[in-house]
């Protein structure tokens, strides 16, 4: 069965739009000039500027007598309250599913905030599995995280699995380079930007997710990536064989250990588990969700729940 993998932020979910909405709320709540929204968007850097840098600059600019932890908690709650999965994206996922594709999410970031996004937006029941870099101890573009995603979606990353797998994402150094290194075909969501990398290229380009999914469905027989680019020998593939049961998933995630090569410290940076417990219907324990990563999500909640009130 063919496998279609997706990035999360600014691919499945319009993360930058949620940031703008939070920034507008912040300016309004503090009686600050609404024209400063452009300043917020610039310093945000699309989420790739560390949150500590962004929020420290906010405190200095406005002379706010609040702690960095307070601002971070305000930010986490605010951006997640505005995050959503557009109906056209849901329709695209359903179309891919109806065409016989297995679907998965591969996201760099902190486990708790990314799980919160998946739940709030109802993405859990729409995909077969997911992997998040913090719990996996592995970060895109490392091929291992894509192999782990395949395993969690029920597709062993052996044989010619890569020839039947596509990756859709907006961040070239993580999503497209990772697909290239793993031997996957890819679609880059350009969001109006020119391609700027010289060492690798996506298989296809698209303006948005529905167009990207449509291109993949129409390109089942597109040429496979160049031979010889794939990395990850048998040992790495064995490492990628994360069991999908509850306890086994936790072991495969190295008991939730943080990666020494951490994910970008932007909107997805690991934070205390205080993002809230709002869940989309059908994504909790015992809900009958077909997602093979749900067992890990339940255990991750149990492990991080002790800090749930910290915000």
């Amino acid at each position: 069965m063919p496998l279609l993998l997706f990035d999360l932020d600014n691919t499945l979910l319009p993360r930058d739009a949620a940031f703008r909405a939070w920034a507008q709320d912040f300016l309004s709540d503090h009686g600050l000039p609404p024209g400063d929204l452009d300043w917020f968007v610039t310093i945000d850097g699309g989420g790739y500027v560390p949150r500590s840098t962004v929020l420290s600059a906010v405190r200095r600019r406005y002379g706010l007598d609040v702690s960095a932890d307070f601002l971070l908690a305000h930010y986490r709650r605010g951006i997640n309250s505005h995050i959503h999965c557009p109906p056209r994206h849901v329709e695209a996922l359903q179309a891919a599913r109806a065409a016989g594709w297995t679907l998965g999410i591969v996201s760099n970031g902190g486990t708790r905030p990314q799980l919160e996004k998946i739940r709030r937006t109802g993405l859990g029941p729409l995909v077969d599995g997911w992997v998040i870099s913090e719990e996996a101890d592995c970060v895109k573009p490392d091929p291992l995280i894509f192999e782990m995603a395949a395993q969690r979606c029920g597709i062993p990353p052996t044989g010619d699995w890569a020839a039947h797998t596509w990756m859709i994402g907006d961040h070239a150094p993580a999503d497209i380079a990772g697909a290239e290194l793993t031997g996957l075909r890819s679609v880059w969501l350009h969001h109006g930007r020119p391609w700027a990398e010289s060492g690798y290229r996506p298989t296809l380009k698209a303006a948005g997710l529905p167009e990207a999914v449509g291109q993949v469905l129409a390109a089942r027989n597109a040429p496979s990536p160049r031979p010889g680019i794939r990395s990850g020998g048998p040992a790495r593939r064995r490492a990628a064989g994360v069991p999908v049961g509850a306890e086994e998933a936790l072991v495969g995630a190295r008991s939730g250990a943080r990666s020494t090569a951490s994910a970008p410290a932007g909107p997805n940076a690991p934070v205390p588990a205080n993002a809230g417990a709002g869940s989309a219907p059908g994504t909790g324990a015992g809900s009958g969700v077909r997602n093979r990563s749900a067992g890990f999500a339940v255990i991750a909640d149990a492990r991080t729940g002790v800090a749930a009130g910290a915000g």
Side-chain angles (χ1 to χ4, degrees), residues 29 55 61 83 90 120 190 299:
D29 292 347
L55 298 177
R61 180 178 177 87
I83 206 75
V90 173
R120 281 183 176 269
H190 58 72
I299 289 183

mmCIF file with all atom_site columns, all heavy atoms in Angstrom, residues 29 55 61 83 90 120 190 299:
data_model
loop_
_atom_site.group_PDB
_atom_site.id
_atom_site.type_symbol
_atom_site.label_atom_id
_atom_site.label_alt_id
_atom_site.label_comp_id
_atom_site.label_asym_id
_atom_site.label_entity_id
_atom_site.label_seq_id
_atom_site.pdbx_PDB_ins_code
_atom_site.Cartn_x
_atom_site.Cartn_y
_atom_site.Cartn_z
_atom_site.occupancy
_atom_site.B_iso_or_equiv
_atom_site.pdbx_formal_charge
_atom_site.auth_seq_id
_atom_site.auth_comp_id
_atom_site.auth_asym_id
_atom_site.auth_atom_id
_atom_site.pdbx_PDB_model_num
ATOM 1  N N   . ASP A 1 29  ? -5.093  42.589 24.249 1.00 0.00 ? 29  ASP A N   1
ATOM 2  C CA  . ASP A 1 29  ? -5.219  42.344 25.691 1.00 0.00 ? 29  ASP A CA  1
ATOM 3  C C   . ASP A 1 29  ? -4.378  43.320 26.516 1.00 0.00 ? 29  ASP A C   1
ATOM 4  O O   . ASP A 1 29  ? -4.738  43.658 27.650 1.00 0.00 ? 29  ASP A O   1
ATOM 5  C CB  . ASP A 1 29  ? -4.797  40.915 26.029 1.00 0.00 ? 29  ASP A CB  1
ATOM 6  C CG  . ASP A 1 29  ? -5.761  39.871 25.485 1.00 0.00 ? 29  ASP A CG  1
ATOM 7  O OD1 . ASP A 1 29  ? -6.874  40.255 25.061 1.00 0.00 ? 29  ASP A OD1 1
ATOM 8  O OD2 . ASP A 1 29  ? -5.386  38.682 25.469 1.00 0.00 ? 29  ASP A OD2 1
ATOM 9  N N   . LEU A 1 55  ? 10.024  35.964 22.919 1.00 0.00 ? 55  LEU A N   1
ATOM 10 C CA  . LEU A 1 55  ? 9.301   36.453 24.090 1.00 0.00 ? 55  LEU A CA  1
ATOM 11 C C   . LEU A 1 55  ? 10.152  37.392 24.938 1.00 0.00 ? 55  LEU A C   1
ATOM 12 O O   . LEU A 1 55  ? 9.618   38.331 25.554 1.00 0.00 ? 55  LEU A O   1
ATOM 13 C CB  . LEU A 1 55  ? 8.795   35.274 24.911 1.00 0.00 ? 55  LEU A CB  1
ATOM 14 C CG  . LEU A 1 55  ? 7.800   34.372 24.160 1.00 0.00 ? 55  LEU A CG  1
ATOM 15 C CD1 . LEU A 1 55  ? 7.398   33.173 25.008 1.00 0.00 ? 55  LEU A CD1 1
ATOM 16 C CD2 . LEU A 1 55  ? 6.569   35.153 23.718 1.00 0.00 ? 55  LEU A CD2 1
ATOM 17 N N   . ARG A 1 61  ? 10.515  45.200 24.691 1.00 0.00 ? 61  ARG A N   1
ATOM 18 C CA  . ARG A 1 61  ? 9.893   46.215 23.841 1.00 0.00 ? 61  ARG A CA  1
ATOM 19 C C   . ARG A 1 61  ? 8.767   46.945 24.582 1.00 0.00 ? 61  ARG A C   1
ATOM 20 O O   . ARG A 1 61  ? 8.610   48.167 24.446 1.00 0.00 ? 61  ARG A O   1
ATOM 21 C CB  . ARG A 1 61  ? 9.343   45.558 22.582 1.00 0.00 ? 61  ARG A CB  1
ATOM 22 C CG  . ARG A 1 61  ? 8.665   46.545 21.604 1.00 0.00 ? 61  ARG A CG  1
ATOM 23 C CD  . ARG A 1 61  ? 8.203   45.803 20.355 1.00 0.00 ? 61  ARG A CD  1
ATOM 24 N NE  . ARG A 1 61  ? 7.501   46.656 19.423 1.00 0.00 ? 61  ARG A NE  1
ATOM 25 C CZ  . ARG A 1 61  ? 8.078   47.388 18.469 1.00 0.00 ? 61  ARG A CZ  1
ATOM 26 N NH1 . ARG A 1 61  ? 9.403   47.384 18.344 1.00 0.00 ? 61  ARG A NH1 1
ATOM 27 N NH2 . ARG A 1 61  ? 7.356   48.137 17.649 1.00 0.00 ? 61  ARG A NH2 1
ATOM 28 N N   . ILE A 1 83  ? -5.392  27.330 16.371 1.00 0.00 ? 83  ILE A N   1
ATOM 29 C CA  . ILE A 1 83  ? -4.992  26.366 15.342 1.00 0.00 ? 83  ILE A CA  1
ATOM 30 C C   . ILE A 1 83  ? -6.201  25.585 14.857 1.00 0.00 ? 83  ILE A C   1
ATOM 31 O O   . ILE A 1 83  ? -7.117  25.286 15.634 1.00 0.00 ? 83  ILE A O   1
ATOM 32 C CB  . ILE A 1 83  ? -3.904  25.405 15.886 1.00 0.00 ? 83  ILE A CB  1
ATOM 33 C CG1 . ILE A 1 83  ? -3.039  24.849 14.751 1.00 0.00 ? 83  ILE A CG1 1
ATOM 34 C CG2 . ILE A 1 83  ? -4.498  24.304 16.727 1.00 0.00 ? 83  ILE A CG2 1
ATOM 35 C CD1 . ILE A 1 83  ? -2.048  25.827 14.200 1.00 0.00 ? 83  ILE A CD1 1
ATOM 36 N N   . VAL A 1 90  ? -8.868  18.596 5.195  1.00 0.00 ? 90  VAL A N   1
ATOM 37 C CA  . VAL A 1 90  ? -9.545  17.368 5.603  1.00 0.00 ? 90  VAL A CA  1
ATOM 38 C C   . VAL A 1 90  ? -10.038 16.607 4.377  1.00 0.00 ? 90  VAL A C   1
ATOM 39 O O   . VAL A 1 90  ? -9.877  15.385 4.270  1.00 0.00 ? 90  VAL A O   1
ATOM 40 C CB  . VAL A 1 90  ? -10.726 17.698 6.543  1.00 0.00 ? 90  VAL A CB  1
ATOM 41 C CG1 . VAL A 1 90  ? -11.540 16.436 6.845  1.00 0.00 ? 90  VAL A CG1 1
ATOM 42 C CG2 . VAL A 1 90  ? -10.220 18.317 7.845  1.00 0.00 ? 90  VAL A CG2 1
ATOM 43 N N   . ARG A 1 120 ? -6.551  18.789 18.962 1.00 0.00 ? 120 ARG A N   1
ATOM 44 C CA  . ARG A 1 120 ? -7.473  19.913 18.833 1.00 0.00 ? 120 ARG A CA  1
ATOM 45 C C   . ARG A 1 120 ? -8.063  20.016 17.425 1.00 0.00 ? 120 ARG A C   1
ATOM 46 O O   . ARG A 1 120 ? -9.193  20.469 17.254 1.00 0.00 ? 120 ARG A O   1
ATOM 47 C CB  . ARG A 1 120 ? -6.767  21.228 19.175 1.00 0.00 ? 120 ARG A CB  1
ATOM 48 C CG  . ARG A 1 120 ? -6.630  21.485 20.667 1.00 0.00 ? 120 ARG A CG  1
ATOM 49 C CD  . ARG A 1 120 ? -5.994  22.839 20.907 1.00 0.00 ? 120 ARG A CD  1
ATOM 50 N NE  . ARG A 1 120 ? -5.931  23.147 22.324 1.00 0.00 ? 120 ARG A NE  1
ATOM 51 C CZ  . ARG A 1 120 ? -6.869  23.791 22.996 1.00 0.00 ? 120 ARG A CZ  1
ATOM 52 N NH1 . ARG A 1 120 ? -7.972  24.183 22.383 1.00 0.00 ? 120 ARG A NH1 1
ATOM 53 N NH2 . ARG A 1 120 ? -6.734  24.045 24.278 1.00 0.00 ? 120 ARG A NH2 1
ATOM 54 N N   . HIS A 1 190 ? 5.280   25.697 -1.590 1.00 0.00 ? 190 HIS A N   1
ATOM 55 C CA  . HIS A 1 190 ? 6.129   26.890 -1.713 1.00 0.00 ? 190 HIS A CA  1
ATOM 56 C C   . HIS A 1 190 ? 5.531   28.128 -1.052 1.00 0.00 ? 190 HIS A C   1
ATOM 57 O O   . HIS A 1 190 ? 6.261   29.065 -0.730 1.00 0.00 ? 190 HIS A O   1
ATOM 58 C CB  . HIS A 1 190 ? 6.436   27.172 -3.185 1.00 0.00 ? 190 HIS A CB  1
ATOM 59 C CG  . HIS A 1 190 ? 5.240   27.377 -4.052 1.00 0.00 ? 190 HIS A CG  1
ATOM 60 N ND1 . HIS A 1 190 ? 4.453   28.495 -4.005 1.00 0.00 ? 190 HIS A ND1 1
ATOM 61 C CD2 . HIS A 1 190 ? 4.694   26.589 -5.025 1.00 0.00 ? 190 HIS A CD2 1
ATOM 62 C CE1 . HIS A 1 190 ? 3.495   28.422 -4.910 1.00 0.00 ? 190 HIS A CE1 1
ATOM 63 N NE2 . HIS A 1 190 ? 3.601   27.253 -5.531 1.00 0.00 ? 190 HIS A NE2 1
ATOM 64 N N   . ILE A 1 299 ? 0.228   7.140  26.621 1.00 0.00 ? 299 ILE A N   1
ATOM 65 C CA  . ILE A 1 299 ? 1.319   7.005  27.584 1.00 0.00 ? 299 ILE A CA  1
ATOM 66 C C   . ILE A 1 299 ? 2.035   8.336  27.768 1.00 0.00 ? 299 ILE A C   1
ATOM 67 O O   . ILE A 1 299 ? 2.398   8.721  28.871 1.00 0.00 ? 299 ILE A O   1
ATOM 68 C CB  . ILE A 1 299 ? 2.304   5.912  27.125 1.00 0.00 ? 299 ILE A CB  1
ATOM 69 C CG1 . ILE A 1 299 ? 1.638   4.549  27.267 1.00 0.00 ? 299 ILE A CG1 1
ATOM 70 C CG2 . ILE A 1 299 ? 3.573   5.955  27.956 1.00 0.00 ? 299 ILE A CG2 1
ATOM 71 C CD1 . ILE A 1 299 ? 2.527   3.400  26.921 1.00 0.00 ? 299 ILE A CD1 1
#
